[in-house]
Short mmCIF file of all heavy atoms in Angstrom, two decimals:
data_model
loop_
_atom_site.label_atom_id
_atom_site.label_comp_id
_atom_site.label_asym_id
_atom_site.label_seq_id
_atom_site.Cartn_x
_atom_site.Cartn_y
_atom_site.Cartn_z
N ILE U 1281 65.19 -70.44 3.88
CA ILE U 1281 64.14 -70.57 4.88
C ILE U 1281 64.76 -70.35 6.25
O ILE U 1281 65.99 -70.41 6.40
CB ILE U 1281 63.46 -71.96 4.80
CG1 ILE U 1281 64.44 -73.06 5.19
CG2 ILE U 1281 62.91 -72.19 3.42
CD1 ILE U 1281 63.80 -74.42 5.30
N PRO U 1282 63.97 -70.10 7.29
CA PRO U 1282 64.53 -69.86 8.62
C PRO U 1282 65.42 -71.01 9.10
O PRO U 1282 65.22 -72.17 8.74
CB PRO U 1282 63.28 -69.72 9.49
CG PRO U 1282 62.24 -69.22 8.56
CD PRO U 1282 62.53 -69.87 7.24
N LEU U 1283 66.41 -70.65 9.92
CA LEU U 1283 67.40 -71.62 10.39
C LEU U 1283 66.74 -72.76 11.16
O LEU U 1283 67.18 -73.92 11.05
CB LEU U 1283 68.43 -70.90 11.27
CG LEU U 1283 69.55 -71.77 11.86
CD1 LEU U 1283 70.38 -72.39 10.76
CD2 LEU U 1283 70.43 -70.93 12.79
N LEU U 1284 65.71 -72.46 11.94
CA LEU U 1284 65.05 -73.50 12.72
C LEU U 1284 64.45 -74.57 11.82
O LEU U 1284 64.55 -75.77 12.11
CB LEU U 1284 63.96 -72.87 13.60
CG LEU U 1284 63.18 -73.84 14.50
CD1 LEU U 1284 64.13 -74.53 15.48
CD2 LEU U 1284 62.08 -73.12 15.25
N TYR U 1285 63.84 -74.15 10.70
CA TYR U 1285 63.26 -75.11 9.76
C TYR U 1285 64.36 -75.96 9.10
O TYR U 1285 64.19 -77.17 8.91
CB TYR U 1285 62.45 -74.39 8.68
CG TYR U 1285 61.22 -73.71 9.19
CD1 TYR U 1285 60.54 -72.78 8.41
CD2 TYR U 1285 60.70 -73.98 10.46
CE1 TYR U 1285 59.40 -72.15 8.88
CE2 TYR U 1285 59.57 -73.35 10.93
CZ TYR U 1285 58.92 -72.44 10.14
OH TYR U 1285 57.80 -71.82 10.61
N PHE U 1286 65.47 -75.31 8.77
CA PHE U 1286 66.57 -76.04 8.13
C PHE U 1286 67.14 -77.11 9.07
O PHE U 1286 67.40 -78.25 8.67
CB PHE U 1286 67.67 -75.06 7.72
CG PHE U 1286 68.90 -75.74 7.18
CD1 PHE U 1286 68.91 -76.26 5.89
CD2 PHE U 1286 70.04 -75.86 7.95
CE1 PHE U 1286 70.04 -76.90 5.39
CE2 PHE U 1286 71.16 -76.48 7.46
CZ PHE U 1286 71.16 -77.01 6.18
N LEU U 1287 67.33 -76.75 10.35
CA LEU U 1287 67.85 -77.71 11.31
C LEU U 1287 66.87 -78.86 11.53
O LEU U 1287 67.27 -80.01 11.71
CB LEU U 1287 68.16 -77.01 12.64
CG LEU U 1287 69.30 -76.00 12.60
CD1 LEU U 1287 69.47 -75.33 13.96
CD2 LEU U 1287 70.61 -76.65 12.18
N SER U 1288 65.56 -78.54 11.51
CA SER U 1288 64.56 -79.59 11.67
C SER U 1288 64.61 -80.56 10.51
O SER U 1288 64.51 -81.78 10.70
CB SER U 1288 63.16 -78.96 11.77
OG SER U 1288 63.08 -78.08 12.88
N ILE U 1512 64.05 -65.77 16.59
CA ILE U 1512 65.27 -66.51 16.92
C ILE U 1512 66.43 -66.20 15.97
O ILE U 1512 67.58 -66.51 16.29
CB ILE U 1512 65.00 -68.02 16.92
CG1 ILE U 1512 64.52 -68.48 15.54
CG2 ILE U 1512 64.00 -68.39 17.99
CD1 ILE U 1512 64.37 -69.97 15.41
N ILE U 1513 66.15 -65.61 14.81
CA ILE U 1513 67.23 -65.28 13.88
C ILE U 1513 67.48 -63.78 13.83
O ILE U 1513 68.16 -63.30 12.94
CB ILE U 1513 66.93 -65.82 12.46
CG1 ILE U 1513 65.59 -65.31 11.96
CG2 ILE U 1513 66.95 -67.33 12.45
CD1 ILE U 1513 65.28 -65.74 10.52
#
Side-chain angles (χ1 to χ4, degrees):
I1281 66 173
L1283 180 62
L1284 181 61
Y1285 293 165
F1286 174 76
L1287 294 177
S1288 300
I1512 60 174
I1513 56 176

